[in-house]
Amino acid sequence: LDSLWLLTGFGDYVIYRIPPQPGEMITQIAAAVALLALFILPLFFLRRFPITIVLIYWILFTLIPPQILSFVHPVSDRYLYLPSVSFTILISWGIINTAKRFGRVSLIAAYLLIFTIAFFWCRGTLNYLSEWIDPRSVWFGAKKKSSDPKIYYNMGWHYMDKAASLGNNPRKPRPAVEEEIQFASIVWKDDPQLSKLLGEWRVGIKNGETEKIFQEYLREQAWNDFEKALEKKGRNMMPDFYFHRGLLQLDRLNLTGARKEFMNAIDEAGRVTFAETRQNVLVNCHSNLGILAWTEGNYREALSWIKLAEEEQNQFGANWVKDLTTNRKRLEEIIASLPGK
């Protein structure tokens, strides 16, 4: 029923949604009976309304894959694309053919009705598209309409990457000044320090005092969304989520917190059946545990983690962390130069 309502074009669209939870046993039995009736009843009208029934079955059968996918993946509006094609044809064809039976005036009314529906669909589409071009990312608008943990996770990830593009030695590529100004003007619009930040950027000052405050603000927002994702996580297997929590803690120089999150990611990766996800997380976590130990001055521990990550990456035939060999050689040089080795 939720999917059928979305097909009308008047639903609340969002990139990921939580599927409706099963009700009591009697509700589930009633739902099963209703679904069977939905698939069987149109057969009795096939000879009288052949085109209508074909279009109805087009909708019903192309709705089946999304219902199955919802058990293993967040429900996404794009799953309804194929049934929506049939639904659109059914509406326009049904209105016009019904109107033809009542003369020319009815046909004009039918066209007006179709254009009215199209107008509301167009308005809804434009409103939804505005979420996708929001400088805060599509996840910002999605948070208002869904409690799926991946929405909060991706929103936090976005804030973290924006913060990582700032500072003297950014971990992410720094965007154009115009893009930075547009983003900050929305995210920090209520902060009295915004004008000072924009003034620094407009005269070419990078890593200024106000930018540092803004960077910490973004990291705080990222952590808040990560915490919300953890609260909503449930039984979802998300080792990469713990990895990014660790990365954010590393950015914030919370080394104890970062180590805890990386170990959580390694533990969760061991329960993931998809090999590439598991391998990617293991290599990245072992590499960052090495960076963490390196930051603390524990060079031999750092070397053991970096070596492990390098061996795993070579074994998996991947290149997720590009500087593993370089870091391993640098650590070997540092250890070789230590007194007493």
Side-chain angles (χ1 to χ4, degrees), residues 57-73:
Y57 275 117
W58 177 350
I59 294 170
L60 292 175
F61 281 108
T62 51
L63 269 178
I64 293 174
Q67 311 312 311
I68 297 171
L69 282 169
S70 68
F71 289 103
V72 296
H73 191 275

Side-chain angles (χ1 to χ4, degrees), residues 2-19:
D2 193 55
S3 295
L4 288 173
W5 171 244
L6 289 174
L7 284 180
T8 65
F10 298 101
D12 202 10
Y13 295 90
V14 63
I15 186 168
Y16 286 154
R17 68 178 68 253
I18 297 289

